[in-house]
Amino acid sequence: MAGNTFGQLFRITTFGESHGIAIGVILDGCPAQLPIDLDFIQSELDKRKPGQSKITTQRKESDTVQILSGVFEGKSTGTPIAMLIPNEDQRSKDYNHNTDVYRPSHADYTYDAKYGIRDHRGGGRSSARETAARVAAGAIAKLLLKHHGIEIFAHVSSVGQIQAPNLIHDNIDELLAIREENIVRCADPATAHQMIEFIDGIRKDGDTVGGKVSCIIKNCPVGLGEPVFDKLHADLGKAMLSINAVHGFEYGSGFSGSEMRGSEHNDIFLANEGTPKTLTNFSGGIQGGISNGMEINFSVAFKPVATIMHNQQTINAAGEAAEIKGKGRHDPCVVPRAVVIVEAMAALVIADHLLRNKTSRL
């Protein structure tokens, strides 16, 4: 499987399966001398780990990360950084019922058709458990970006039809504090309460629901991104769409921009002591595929989790009609745990382009 590596200069390769011994990541291209804060990496993983509230899967994993290489005396050495996260609470027997049966809207059939073999235990490599490795690598990317004053913040902006108001706030630390005060990770407390009650009701019904995660990137320098195929928004889109259960990505005005006139949508430049700013930000901080110095903002849409506790019609590996019902421990809504994954993937993209941009001119 060649699709296990992401990035060009700041590059990660993840490995491992949901019910294997461990998952992990090899990060290559991290500059030497970067202070590596293990406590921060672990705190990021804690935001993604299962079993953290009543509205997440009850699988119990500490997601304790081990750094195997690439760090000496608390700093990166410039060599590959290898990180390992052991699996501790697999219940493979929960998946015995789908050994030869394809779960609706899962990767069971497509993996089987492509490779002729699949790990039925929690989806194996297709499981969202793999994203823990991305979060570990993304934490190091965040440390690199912090060195350059770049901040990334995401939160749950919708669950089902419950929408949070648009954030108008300059203090990332305050937003983080508000977000982490509720288990759904929404930065609007009133909306968070509605979301939690709704998700808990969905869980009790044995069903699932989707939602959106919105993200902002502050203090991104002008000039990141390539003008043709590796446009910054294209790489952000690829990063987000590579996350399990993501079905949509939009930046700036997104799809609503298609309903506007050019006279409404154009971002007018303003003089700003030598650093141009724009009156509006329908471009989402990116023009021509290159960052323009304004806040980068985008949203990511997640579908409902495919495993539901209802009987569903399907087929088996022989193509015969079958019936299946979800078993085991699953999220009724993935977005609370996906917030840190979105941030991690955004950090990996920006870190990669930050390093690439150092070669753009003399």
Side-chain angles (χ1 to χ4, degrees):
M1 294 174 69
N4 297 300
T5 298
F6 183 82
Q8 293 194 22
L9 294 185
F10 197 91
R11 184 170 61 252
I12 68 166
T13 300
T14 70
F15 60 89
E17 295 82 32
S18 176
H19 285 238
I21 296 173
I23 54 175
V25 61
I26 297 173
L27 167 58
D28 201 4
C30 181
Q33 299 288 333
L34 178 69
I36 302 297
D37 185 343
L38 183 58
D39 289 338
F40 174 71
I41 298 171
Q42 189 61 58
S43 71
E44 292 289 278
L45 284 164
D46 289 346
K47 295 172 186 174
R48 196 223 67 97
K49 72 180 181 181
Q52 56 185 277
S53 77
K54 66 179 181 179
I55 60 170
T56 64
T57 171
Q58 294 306 296
R59 178 171 173 170
K60 297 294 183 183
E61 296 282 355
S62 68
D63 280 356
T64 303
V65 64
Q66 305 169 19
I67 298 180
L68 306 181
S69 66
V71 178
F72 181 66
E73 295 183 343
K75 292 184 178 181
S76 59
T77 62
T79 59
I81 298 173
M83 291 181 282
L84 193 72
I85 304 167
N87 290 326
E88 301 167 339
D89 187 29
Q90 311 97 310
R91 291 186 189 172
S92 299
K93 67 180 185 300
D94 287 345
Y95 297 90
N96 288 342
H97 67 295
N98 72 299
T99 303
D100 295 309
V101 178
Y102 299 137
R103 296 169 296 172
S105 287
H106 278 276
D108 297 349
Y109 168 67
T110 52
Y111 265 57
D112 218 359
K114 182 176 178 66
Y115 300 108
I117 186 172
R118 70 179 176 94
D119 186 345
H120 69 275
R121 305 166 304 166
R125 186 76 177 137
S126 69
S127 170
R129 177 119 188 90
E130 177 271 340
T131 59
R134 307 187 196 195
V135 170
I140 294 180
K142 282 186 176 181
L143 292 172
L144 177 62
L145 298 184
K146 184 179 180 181
H147 181 74
H148 293 272
I150 302 170
E151 298 179 293
I152 299 177
F153 171 81
H155 83 126
V156 174
S157 54
S158 77
V159 170
Q161 296 183 0
I162 301 172
Q163 303 278 339
N166 290 331
L167 293 176
I168 303 175
H169 210 297
D170 289 329
N171 192 320
I172 293 289
D173 289 336
E174 287 185 14
L175 287 175
L176 281 168
I178 295 170
R179 184 190 77 184
E180 292 305 315
E181 285 176 355
N182 61 81
I183 57 176
V184 78
R185 292 201 168 87
C186 174
D188 182 70
T191 311
H193 177 73
Q194 296 178 50
M195 290 175 173
I196 292 167
E197 292 298 311
F198 181 62
I199 295 172
D200 199 34
I202 291 288
R203 177 186 64 82
K204 291 174 181 176
D205 289 341
D207 215 335
T208 62
V209 68
K212 297 190 193 79
V213 173
S214 294
C215 184
I216 57 176
I217 304 172
K218 286 184 173 289
N219 307 320
C220 184
V222 180
L224 302 193
E226 303 300 326
V228 184
F229 296 114
D230 291 347
K231 290 178 169 67
L232 187 58
H233 62 274
D235 279 357
L236 283 169
K238 177 180 179 179
M240 299 309 143
L241 290 164
S242 75
I243 300 171
N244 305 63
V246 170
H247 268 218
F249 169 82
E250 62 178 359
Y251 74 102
S253 61
F255 288 101
S256 65
S258 66
E259 302 170 2
M260 300 170 68
R261 298 185 180 192
S263 56
E264 299 172 297
H265 193 271
N266 286 346
D267 293 321
I268 304 303
F269 283 107
L270 302 173
N272 186 52
E273 298 181 357
T275 304
K277 299 290 182 182
T278 57
L279 182 63
T280 53
N281 192 25
F282 294 120
S283 299
I286 302 170
Q287 293 171 328
I290 300 170
S291 60
N292 67 2
M294 296 292 289
E295 175 183 291
I296 295 172
N297 59 76
F298 61 87
S299 293
V300 187
F302 288 81
K303 72 180 179 72
V305 174
T307 299
I308 61 175
M309 302 305 163
H310 296 175
N311 290 330
Q312 297 181 89
Q313 297 303 308
T314 186
I315 60 171
N316 60 24
E320 302 164 333
E323 188 175 79
I324 192 168
K325 180 179 180 180
K327 295 182 181 180
R329 301 157 296 174
H330 305 278
D331 291 275
C333 181
V334 73
V335 289
R337 294 172 60 210
V339 166
V340 71
I341 305 169
V342 168
E343 289 183 350
M345 293 306 296
L348 290 168
V349 171
I350 300 300
D352 189 38
H353 276 279
L354 189 70
L355 296 180
R356 291 166 66 178
N357 197 49
K358 292 183 180 298
T359 64
S360 61
R361 67 179 187 179
L362 293 176

